[in-house]
Amino acid sequence: MERKLKVKVYFVGLSDDKIGIIERIISGFFILERSTDFASADIIFITRENVPQIDNVEVEDFKPIFLFSEKKLPTDEMVKLVGRIRDVITPDDIHRLPFLIKRELREKISMRLKWSQMKWLQTYDKISDLPARENFLLKIKDVLENSVKKEFAMFLIRLSNLDIINTNLGSDATNRIISIVAEEIKKLSSYGDIVGRVSFRDFAIFKELKEGNSEKEIHSFSEKILQKLTKYIDYEGIRLKVLPSIGISLFPADSQFAEDLLMFAEKASTESEGRGSKITKFSDLPRGEIIGEKKLISHIFKALKEKRLYMVYQPIFYMDDFKRIGIFESLLRYGQKDMGIGPDIFIALSEKIGAIEEISGYILNEVFEIASKLKKYHFSINISPKHLTIPKIYSLIINGVKRFNIEPQRIIFEISEKSLYTEIISAKDVIEELKKIGFRFAIDDFGSGQSSLSPLREIPFDILKIDTSIIKLDRKKEKENKNIDSIDDFGKLLIKSVIEAAKKAGKRIIAEGVETADDLEEARKLYCDMVQGYMFSFPLKQKEVFNLLVQLNR
């Protein structure tokens, strides 16, 4: 016995007796269900008077609408209805209705299948059965939106000789290689990995990294990919060798945008091909060679014009209580999706085009605004000594704290140890003037520069921020099997003595870049008062700052 199909029917303007007749006719052939609107119905019945209603309703092209009429319509009226009405039903031919409905349902199912197939072809690669580029990126965006304090790696796997094989042996040989490689990549991926075929010869795997072991995991997984894919494939008696190269980009270190991460991994893979290596990380490439200065400057103009700049704030925690935040470091970001430069280069180029006053004004305004809302906390701002000597920026600082009613003591200006000595000297008077008003100063990146003692002599600093390279130095030597008696050891002893002297003078010590338990232990050995880094929190947008404070204060 043939199984009855379920059909949802919507009636517009029909009397109860007409509806009863139609329902009795079709219920012998279908499981009938009344619908309450156009959108959810399979079949729609309408009267002549109510036809104009259709014009104001979005009805799918393959949704059949039947006009119920007491008599046949004149030809000219039928012509007008073509395109909106599938058929006209009268009481005399109502017996045709079950067959018409069956025909319409078959067509509807067929069209839905075609639409689904078309949608699948748009979002999936038909040879590898993997998500295509846009679908792959959408999946990554979904993951990143819900990821907090996580690290990910983008592995771009390029089949370097696929173009040559395609040109000489045709698509059959190419498709065989793609299918085999796709299967191997699927086997390599773990639960939660996002895998896609993102161009003719490129596959990609987006993978979450285990906390504190990212470098080892990246290297191990890359080697596993190469081992599995560097193989011969037989095709009609010919042995074809797959030649993969891998480009790697990292979230959030290289970018926080899916498009960026894929583009940077592609650039790294291109570099691998060019120099004959197998694995290249985007972070190892010189940024200036990747993107020309002219292009960067044009992007900066665009970022300013379209107001893509925004601030994030990284909390700095007290060492004796990791639930207590003392300072938020303010960091400039911008929403440009095709750039791979850090804020330092961004600022340097902004100086070049004369936009530094505008950008500094934006930073100060944003920081003062959030500081006025969070009165318990201090906020630090990275600034170059030479920027402090610009009269407009000095005025923005003085007028800003007055306008937002902020105590100057809550604002800390971070000056990098890498700053030029001449810049520090030229800004010395301004720094001392700001100190008299109450502003505080920090030496940033301490231990990373060429002349660590020169800023200490010239800047009346309140806080010393230890560069991440210092807290990782011992473990780096252990990995490289370096001897204990080295220049690094002497440098570290010198830095420790400076830290001890700073502590005795009442200065606060902050460890930067704390990512692991080992980093934290090293910060303890250096007698740091406060710590910041991915182990505790990524830089946060303003809304996320408020959410974090709510959680910590529960």
Side-chain angles (χ1 to χ4, degrees):
M1 184 178 176
E2 187 179 357
R3 185 180 176 186
K4 285 185 179 182
L5 293 171
K6 184 164 83 171
V7 58
K8 295 179 78 173
V9 182
Y10 183 52
F11 297 100
V12 183
L14 275 73
S15 63
D16 289 342
D17 60 326
K18 295 295 188 297
I19 291 173
I21 293 168
I22 292 171
E23 287 185 333
R24 281 196 298 276
I25 292 289
I26 61 178
S27 61
F29 297 84
F30 303 97
I31 299 170
L32 186 66
E33 184 180 324
R34 284 267 196 112
S35 180
T36 57
D37 54 35
F38 279 97
S40 61
D42 297 313
I43 305 288
I44 298 164
F45 286 95
I46 200 163
T47 61
R48 290 169 71 181
E49 296 77 22
N50 294 100
V51 166
Q53 287 191 30
I54 304 169
D55 297 330
N56 301 319
V57 178
E58 288 187 18
V59 181
E60 296 174 38
D61 291 338
F62 47 86
K63 186 159 287 189
I65 301 173
F66 292 105
L67 174 64
F68 190 87
S69 175
E70 291 294 339
K71 57 183 179 180
K72 285 189 176 292
L73 300 180
T75 305
D76 60 338
E77 191 172 347
M78 286 292 290
V79 169
K80 288 179 185 177
L81 292 171
V82 170
R84 292 190 292 174
I85 302 299
R86 195 63 59 87
D87 218 325
V88 178
I89 304 297
T90 67
D92 293 334
D93 60 5
I94 200 168
H95 60 278
R96 294 190 305 126
L97 198 51
F99 305 101
L100 293 174
I101 292 174
K102 203 163 192 176
R103 178 198 71 189
E104 295 299 340
L105 290 179
R106 275 200 305 268
E107 285 187 16
K108 181 178 179 180
I109 291 167
S110 174
M111 290 194 74
R112 282 196 182 280
L113 286 171
K114 286 178 183 175
W115 181 84
S116 298
Q117 185 181 26
M118 184 175 67
K119 194 74 177 171
W120 186 90
L121 288 171
Q122 288 174 348
T123 55
Y124 284 83
D125 172 55
K126 63 181 180 181
I127 301 168
S128 65
D129 196 26
L130 290 171
R133 189 183 187 95
E134 291 306 315
N135 189 17
F136 175 73
L137 289 170
L138 282 172
K139 289 176 183 291
I140 292 172
K141 288 175 185 175
D142 287 342
V143 169
L144 295 184
E145 281 178 7
N146 300 307
S147 297
V148 180
K149 293 187 182 182
K150 289 183 179 178
E151 291 182 283
F152 295 87
M154 176 80 76
F155 297 86
L156 193 287
I157 304 155
R158 176 161 295 164
L159 309 184
S160 299
N161 58 338
L162 199 63
D163 286 329
I164 298 168
I165 292 170
N166 190 57
T167 301
N168 291 279
L169 297 177
S171 59
D172 285 347
T174 305
N175 292 347
R176 176 166 170 75
I177 290 172
I178 290 168
S179 297
I180 291 172
V181 168
E183 287 305 312
E184 292 291 352
I185 287 174
K186 288 174 191 175
K187 291 174 188 174
L188 281 166
S189 60
S190 307
Y191 177 77
D193 292 354
I194 301 171
V195 183
R197 186 183 177 208
V198 295
S199 72
F200 174 70
R201 61 193 186 122
D202 291 344
F203 292 83
I205 302 173
F206 190 67
K207 188 177 197 63
E208 183 181 343
L209 301 174
K210 293 173 183 174
E211 191 176 355
N213 200 20
S214 57
E215 283 296 328
K216 185 178 178 182
E217 187 178 357
I218 288 166
H219 181 75
S220 172
F221 189 65
S222 299
E223 289 294 341
K224 198 181 290 184
I225 292 170
L226 293 176
Q227 185 182 354
K228 281 284 185 184
L229 299 188
T230 307
K231 60 195 300 184
Y232 285 98
I233 295 172
D234 291 324
Y235 175 75
E236 295 185 352
I238 302 172
R239 296 186 77 207
L240 304 174
K241 190 170 186 180
V242 178
L243 299 175
S245 60
I246 301 172
I248 302 162
S249 62
L250 302 176
F251 171 92
D254 294 327
S255 177
Q256 297 181 35
F257 297 107
E259 290 90 346
D260 279 357
L261 293 166
L262 182 55
M263 182 186 75
F264 295 162
E266 287 170 331
K267 290 182 184 298
S269 184
T270 300
E271 185 72 12
S272 286
E273 282 188 299
R275 64 190 188 193
S277 61
K278 293 293 184 182
I279 304 168
T280 302
K281 285 175 65 180
F282 177 73
S283 56
D284 294 335
L285 303 181
R287 300 292 172 96
E289 292 178 14
I290 296 170
I291 306 171
E293 187 176 286
K294 286 184 180 177
K295 186 178 178 183
L296 290 177
I297 287 173
S298 70
H299 282 316
I300 289 172
F301 275 121
K302 194 173 181 181
L304 291 169
K305 185 179 177 182
E306 296 179 3
K307 302 188 185 303
R308 292 184 176 184
L309 301 177
Y310 65 95
M311 298 299 296
V312 293
Y313 305 91
Q314 187 168 32
I316 302 175
F317 292 82
Y318 284 97
M319 181 69 91
D320 59 0
D321 184 356
F322 297 141
K323 285 191 174 183
R324 195 158 64 99
I325 297 169
I327 304 169
F328 284 96
E329 180 178 359
S330 312
L331 301 162
L332 178 68
R333 296 288 186 266
Y334 50 92
Q336 187 66 42
K337 294 189 177 182
D338 56 349
M339 295 175 72
I341 60 171
D344 51 343
I345 300 175
F346 185 89
I347 293 294
L349 291 175
S350 298
E351 287 178 29
K352 204 167 190 175
I353 64 175
I356 194 63
E357 290 182 13
E358 182 181 349
I359 291 169
S360 297
Y362 170 80
I363 292 170
L364 291 167
N365 189 73
E366 290 292 302
V367 175
F368 292 161
E369 183 183 1
I370 191 172
S372 68
K373 296 174 184 175
L374 298 175
K375 298 186 182 298
K376 285 171 58 179
Y377 302 95
H378 297 78
F379 287 82
S380 69
I381 301 169
N382 292 276
I383 197 162
S384 161
K386 69 178 177 181
H387 294 161
L388 289 172
T389 62
I390 300 172
K392 187 173 180 180
I393 293 178
Y394 179 83
S395 299
L396 286 169
I397 294 169
I398 302 302
N399 295 332
V401 291
K402 289 178 182 176
R403 183 159 63 92
F404 285 95
N405 193 26
I406 302 166
E407 304 91 337
Q409 292 84 355
R410 292 175 53 217
I411 302 299
I412 302 157
F413 292 109
E414 295 191 19
I415 293 176
S416 175
E417 181 208 19
K418 300 171 189 174
S419 299
L420 295 176
Y421 185 69
T422 52
E423 292 177 2
I424 294 170
I425 292 297
S426 63
K428 189 175 178 180
D429 291 343
V430 178
I431 292 170
E432 288 177 349
E433 189 64 33
L434 288 170
K435 280 280 292 180
K436 287 176 188 175
I437 296 168
F439 293 97
R440 295 192 296 157
F441 284 82
I443 303 293
D444 193 18
D445 308 315
F446 180 73
S448 64
Q450 299 296 318
S451 177
S452 296
L453 298 179
S454 58
L456 302 182
R457 290 200 307 269
E458 306 299 340
I459 298 174
F461 71 95
D462 305 276
I463 296 168
L464 196 62
K465 296 188 76 176
I466 309 301
D467 188 73
T468 185
S469 62
I470 300 303
I471 63 172
K472 296 180 188 298
L473 188 61
D474 284 345
R475 292 189 307 287
K476 182 181 176 186
K477 286 190 300 178
E478 285 171 14
K479 286 179 183 177
E480 295 173 357
N481 294 318
K482 283 188 177 180
N483 293 327
I484 258 190
D485 295 324
S486 67
I487 295 172
D488 283 342
D489 289 303
F490 177 74
K492 192 163 184 183
L493 285 170
L494 184 61
I495 288 164
K496 279 185 174 179
S497 66
V498 172
I499 291 171
E500 287 172 9
K503 289 278 284 185
K504 286 177 182 176
K507 315 296 184 184
R508 284 207 177 265
I509 312 298
I510 298 175
E512 299 181 291
V514 176
E515 298 176 346
T516 67
D518 288 336
D519 293 344
L520 183 61
E521 182 56 31
E522 193 65 27
R524 287 187 197 280
K525 291 178 183 176
L526 292 171
Y527 306 106
C528 293
D529 303 288
M530 306 175 86
V531 286
Q532 75 178 108
Y534 291 166
M535 180 176 179
F536 299 97
S537 175
F538 286 111
L540 305 170
K541 292 183 180 179
Q542 187 172 131
K543 184 179 177 182
E544 295 169 327
V545 168
F546 288 108
N547 291 341
L548 174 65
L549 293 175
V550 168
Q551 291 173 14
L552 293 176
N553 291 324
R554 279 176 182 168

